Amino acid sequence: MSTVKQKILIVDDEPDILELIEYNLKKEGYQVYLAGNGQEGITIAKKVHPDLIILDIMMPKMDGIEACRLMRAIPEFKNTFMVFLTARSEEYSEIAGFNVGADDYIAKPIKPRALVSRINAILRRNSSTDDVSDNKVEIGDLVIDREAYLVYQNGQKVVLAKKEFELLYLLASKPGKVYTRESILKNIWEDSVVVTNRTIDVHIRKLREKLGETYVATVKGVGYKFELS
């Protein structure tokens, strides 16, 4: 871990949860801030500029979904990691979370070691993309050269169609980040008017046929991500 302590903001209305997470993250060396609802969370986030924000979904005054949506609209939080923490297990709450810009989703009851491991992995996503330049991603056994529109796997060139390449580059640029179908359509087919979700599925299938099944993972009901090895 860097000698500069990374900042984590925890937003939850349950004091016991705040205390438990704060204790375990401070042991790991993180600088931790606490808020009891979404409104307070936004206020503190603007002051301390955290590297990661953990948001409960069900809170008074302002819930986590609304707080995440509002913060994602603020330029300074565009690339801040946001993770939902909730006891709710319904699929629709996960979908709602990802749709407003969440990076991950952790269910209660909290298992401290598992939580810390997940947070460490999320924050390592920045270092996972240390080899990312404006035009190239090098990750695992793949080299993705955007300037040349070429992909090499274990040194062997893989021929991809233009949209297949752009989809792979988008996912691999932030390994582990879940991209909703809507965000994929916006990033890859922004100017198209006849593209459907089925189009995404077809391109994902073609990527898997050419690169194997291990790189692109499906997040049921939400979208896709580049699988971290």
Side-chain angles (χ1 to χ4, degrees):
M1 187 180 298
S2 169
T3 55
V4 178
K5 289 185 177 181
Q6 290 174 296
K7 300 176 184 177
I8 297 178
L9 170 63
I10 311 166
V11 187
D12 197 301
D13 62 325
E14 298 182 53
D16 291 346
I17 296 293
L18 290 174
E19 183 179 350
L20 175 64
I21 300 176
E22 179 187 27
Y23 172 76
N24 284 278
L25 292 180
K26 280 187 173 180
K27 276 177 54 179
E28 193 70 9
Y30 293 113
Q31 190 172 347
V32 180
Y33 300 86
L34 306 178
N37 60 67
Q39 289 180 352
E40 185 182 359
I42 293 174
T43 299
I44 294 175
K46 289 178 178 178
K47 291 179 180 178
V48 304
H49 304 286
D51 299 287
L52 182 145
I53 302 172
I54 300 173
L55 291 156
D56 186 28
I57 286 187
M58 299 299 293
M59 292 184 291
K61 295 186 179 179
M62 181 185 293
D63 64 28
I65 298 288
E66 180 66 6
C68 181
R69 186 187 69 79
L70 291 174
M71 284 190 283
R72 281 298 190 218
I74 301 172
E76 64 193 277
F77 299 122
K78 182 179 180 181
N79 297 314
T80 302
F81 289 114
M82 297 195 192
V83 178
F84 280 119
L85 178 71
T86 179
R88 300 178 66 180
S89 59
E90 298 93 331
E91 185 179 87
Y92 74 84
S93 65
E94 294 189 31
I95 295 171
F98 285 123
N99 282 341
V100 294
D103 293 286
D104 212 334
Y105 189 98
I106 300 173
K108 297 177 182 177
I110 296 168
K111 298 178 181 178
R113 291 180 62 184
L115 174 71
V116 169
S117 178
R118 182 79 69 87
I119 296 304
N120 288 343
I122 292 168
L123 287 169
R124 279 199 301 267
R125 290 178 191 173
N126 281 339
S127 60
S128 295
T129 54
D130 283 345
D131 292 328
V132 178
S133 67
D134 289 340
N135 294 309
K136 184 178 288 188
V137 173
E138 298 183 26
I139 183 166
D141 59 6
L142 293 180
V143 177
I144 307 168
D145 187 338
R146 190 175 190 181
E147 190 172 73
Y149 269 76
L150 292 174
V151 175
Y152 293 89
Q153 184 179 31
N154 290 318
Q156 301 296 313
K157 184 166 70 173
V158 180
V159 178
L160 299 179
K162 183 174 184 290
K163 292 301 184 184
E164 294 168 13
F165 178 91
E166 291 176 352
L167 177 55
L168 176 65
Y169 185 88
L170 174 69
L171 297 176
S173 293
K174 292 187 177 180
K177 175 180 171 61
V178 178
Y179 285 88
T180 64
R181 294 172 180 275
E182 290 77 12
S183 65
I184 291 173
L185 288 171
K186 181 179 179 180
N187 278 281
I188 306 300
W189 286 276
E190 186 172 4
D191 297 327
S192 300
V193 294
V194 294
V195 175
T196 66
N197 286 339
R198 177 61 180 160
T199 302
I200 299 175
D201 296 337
V202 170
H203 282 72
I204 292 291
R205 176 174 56 80
K206 290 180 178 178
L207 282 177
R208 287 170 173 163
E209 288 174 354
K210 295 176 180 180
L211 297 173
E213 299 285 338
T214 59
Y215 298 102
V216 180
T218 301
V219 180
K220 186 178 179 182
V222 182
Y224 299 96
K225 65 178 180 178
F226 191 94
E227 191 72 270
L228 289 166
S229 57

